[in-house]
Amino acid sequence: MAESYPKIAQFKSLDAFRARLQELSLPLPADDRIMTAEQDSPLAKPISIGGFRVGNRWCIHPMEGWDANRDGSPSPHTLRRWRNFGLSGAKLIWGGEAAAVQPDGRANPNQTLATPENRAGLTALRDEVFAAHRQQFGTTDDLLVGLQLTHSGRFCRPNSKQMEPRIAYHHPLLDAKFGIDPRDDSVVWTDDDLERLIDAYVAAAGLASEVGFQFVDVKACHGYLLHEFLSARTRPGRFGGDFDGRTRILRTIVDRIRHELLDLMVGVRISIFDVPPFKTSRQVGQPMDYHALLPYQYGFGCCEDNPLEYDLTEPLQLIAVLRELGVVAVNLSCGSPYYSPHIQRPAIFPPSDGYQPPEDPLVGVARQIQAARTCQQAFPDVPMVGTGYTYLQDFLPHVAQAVVRAGWIDLVGIGRMVLAYPEFPADVLQLGELQRKKICRTFSDCTTGPRSGLVSGCYPLDDYYKQLPEADALKAMKQAMKAD
């Protein structure tokens, strides 16, 4: 159970943290102190991405807020979050928000849209982050901001909390977990439909460029549509089967954007490894029974004989392809928040649709860092962003500095941490210290809330969200869960 793992907040010193890493046999480096930019912190060094000089090594990951208006335009909640991204001090804003390229691709009814009807809304988001950054830091000359483009595929909820899936293929475990009839082929994309979807991605990229985003991220992670295609071995036709077929839709989207929008840079966020889906439970997490499916053909970046272990052979092959296509940077993630949250987003406290962590979350952090290290060192000329750092909490800067200095990763990405503590990167580089009371403790409320249709935010630590009526609804829901 979670109680068997010591919480990071209980480690009162770096030595105590290091002792826990040693106890778990986790080879994570950690600097002795937090360094400022003036002290030549590795995190303060600029990096070139697609010929653009990015001012430091901090990156803000894209996050779905469940808080846009129903027409996809930004609400005050959405604009505030983007303003905070600008105030953060990070110089790479990776997509900011997952924007659906067409209405049926939204993961929730309040997701941002990258469609012509939302041109003004996208412009407002872009302007908000730039204005805030200029106000706080005096210049935006070294700030790189993109928009993440997505279709949610299996996890579409465009009209309500009810799923309206559009899937790449029938996955025997995910179909069972999410109630999809394995005989219903009406939810499977046809090849002709995919050609029209590719057009939608290219059109969305053109819109992003027109309103001033410097790059787009073609999202291929976390179980959403383009990630699911990477494991579509059982799908017939030109968009499935072998590696060439399974990567065709992603390759085609990237290639067309690169050739049709010459001034727009392209990044890709990918889940470089996956695992079989885990059962939703109040108990310690257990994978769904996959043994009858061995050798396992339903994941990307996992071993066929033991899919709980990763195999980066194909992910490395994909990164090589993306580099040849002109992708300027790759953001490395893993798994899915829907079916393997402890893999994708290590935390001591599970979300409402999760399970108790089956391992110390530090193990999950180290797994992501080591996998990203393998990718970065295989392609040192490709700027890469690492994921999974938030659970390090007080010791995040110590580890981030060390891995960047050692060349394990070029940039360190943070997501949940910046919801609780927007100025985290700036405090690290300017002050060399953290405001301990603002550090994200991975309570997972920012996930549990949206799972029940509430806006996403840090309800425990952010006074803005504490005062919303949703805070009381979330508290009541969590109390009811404990009483069950």
Side-chain angles (χ1 to χ4, degrees):
M1 299 294 287
E3 291 77 8
S4 66
Y5 305 124
K7 300 177 178 65
I8 298 294
Q10 295 172 338
F11 300 140
K12 302 303 182 184
S13 69
L14 184 61
D15 285 343
F17 172 70
R18 285 172 168 161
R20 180 59 178 166
L21 293 178
Q22 185 173 7
E23 182 181 356
L24 294 169
S25 299
L26 300 178
L28 282 186
D31 281 1
D32 291 335
R33 62 190 176 95
I34 299 175
M35 301 173 65
T36 64
E38 288 187 352
Q39 294 166 335
D40 202 28
S41 168
L43 298 171
K45 295 185 181 301
I47 183 172
S48 177
I49 296 180
F52 185 90
R53 183 181 182 275
V54 177
N56 62 39
R57 303 302 181 96
W58 286 113
C59 173
I60 306 301
H61 290 313
M63 287 170 280
E64 296 167 18
W66 290 64
D67 58 12
N69 297 314
R70 290 299 292 262
D71 64 358
S73 62
S75 72
H77 301 313
T78 321
L79 292 167
R80 178 182 183 268
R81 188 170 59 259
W82 280 65
R83 186 180 313 120
N84 282 340
F85 295 161
L87 297 173
S88 71
K91 293 295 186 175
L92 175 59
I93 312 299
W94 190 280
E97 190 100 4
V101 298
Q102 55 191 45
D104 74 341
R106 287 188 287 186
N108 65 83
N110 296 93
Q111 186 169 10
T112 301
L113 287 171
T115 57
E117 295 78 10
N118 192 34
R119 176 186 297 270
L122 294 179
T123 303
L125 291 175
R126 186 264 181 203
D127 290 350
E128 195 73 38
V129 71
F130 273 91
H133 195 86
R134 186 180 298 108
Q135 173 190 339
Q136 190 73 6
F137 303 103
T139 182
T140 58
D141 290 347
D142 57 355
L143 176 67
L144 186 62
V145 180
L147 183 69
Q148 184 179 69
L149 305 180
T150 189
H151 191 290
S152 297
R154 188 174 292 270
F155 303 107
C156 292
R157 293 184 180 91
N159 298 301
S160 68
K161 289 192 290 184
Q162 183 70 32
M163 280 190 180
E164 301 177 39
R166 299 289 309 281
I167 63 178
Y169 67 98
H170 280 293
H171 186 305
L173 298 181
L174 289 175
D175 281 4
K177 182 175 176 66
F178 294 106
I180 296 175
D181 185 343
R183 300 162 299 180
D184 181 7
D185 287 338
S186 70
V187 298
V188 181
W189 289 85
T190 68
D191 286 359
D192 288 345
D193 284 343
L194 291 175
E195 296 290 355
R196 288 186 285 273
L197 179 65
I198 291 169
D199 290 339
Y201 269 93
V202 177
L207 178 61
S209 179
E210 290 170 10
V211 304
F213 286 98
Q214 296 143 292
F215 75 97
V216 290
D217 167 36
V218 181
K219 184 177 186 178
C221 59
H222 301 166
Y224 295 114
L225 186 65
L226 298 187
H227 176 214
E228 186 169 71
F229 266 99
L230 297 178
S231 62
R233 293 174 182 84
T234 61
R235 180 188 171 96
R238 63 186 186 274
F239 291 106
D242 61 11
F243 177 85
D244 189 57
R246 288 181 278 120
T247 61
R248 177 165 281 114
I249 185 169
L250 175 59
R251 290 187 290 109
T252 304
I253 291 168
V254 170
D255 192 51
R256 282 193 53 190
I257 293 172
R258 292 284 297 121
H259 283 90
E260 296 179 31
L261 301 162
L262 299 180
D263 295 329
L264 183 67
M265 292 187 282
V266 179
V268 175
R269 192 176 196 201
I270 56 175
S271 284
I272 53 172
F273 62 88
D274 209 351
V275 295
F278 273 60
K279 304 172 186 176
T280 298
S281 169
R282 302 291 168 81
Q283 306 303 313
V284 174
Q286 294 289 331
M288 298 178 71
D289 188 0
Y290 57 83
H291 293 90
L293 301 175
L294 295 177
Y296 194 71
Q297 299 295 303
Y298 302 97
F300 179 70
C302 54
C303 296
E304 290 187 0
D305 296 332
N306 180 10
L308 296 177
E309 298 292 331
Y310 67 71
D311 177 353
L312 298 181
T313 303
E314 284 200 338
L316 290 171
Q317 187 179 352
L318 177 58
I319 293 171
V321 170
L322 295 175
R323 178 180 62 176
E324 291 302 311
L325 289 173
V327 167
V328 297
V330 179
N331 189 315
L332 306 172
S333 189
C334 67
S336 168
Y338 294 99
Y339 57 78
S340 57
H342 82 282
I343 293 286
Q344 187 259 335
R345 193 179 291 165
I348 199 75
F349 302 101
S352 58
D353 60 347
Y355 40 82
Q356 294 297 321
E359 61 188 10
D360 189 309
L362 282 171
V363 175
V365 174
R367 182 186 295 114
Q368 290 200 49
I369 290 176
Q370 290 293 343
R373 176 190 184 186
T374 299
C375 296
Q376 182 71 85
Q377 294 185 339
F379 300 96
D381 59 328
V382 178
M384 295 189 190
V385 181
T387 304
Y389 288 84
T390 286
Y391 184 72
L392 295 171
Q393 301 175 33
D394 307 69
F395 308 106
L396 194 165
H398 301 263
V399 173
Q401 289 171 188
V403 295
V404 170
R405 182 189 299 106
W408 289 21
I409 200 71
D410 280 333
L411 299 108
V412 171
I414 52 176
R416 292 170 296 166
M417 180 63 77
V418 82
L419 294 179
Y421 187 176
E423 58 271 59
F424 185 94
D427 280 358
V428 169
L429 294 181
Q430 294 178 352
L431 305 177
E433 60 184 34
L434 302 177
Q435 302 176 54
R436 200 164 190 269
K437 66 180 181 179
K438 300 185 73 172
I439 295 173
C440 171
R441 300 300 177 188
T442 67
F443 294 122
S444 294
D445 284 6
C446 56
T447 301
T448 292
R451 292 293 189 261
S452 299
L454 307 177
V455 299
S456 181
C458 186
Y459 290 91
L461 300 179
D462 188 338
D463 288 339
Y464 177 87
Y465 288 93
K466 285 181 184 179
Q467 297 170 8
L468 295 180
E470 287 88 344
D472 291 333
L474 179 61
K475 186 181 300 184
M477 183 186 66
K478 292 175 69 176
Q479 289 174 344
M481 287 169 53
K482 288 180 180 179
D484 287 346

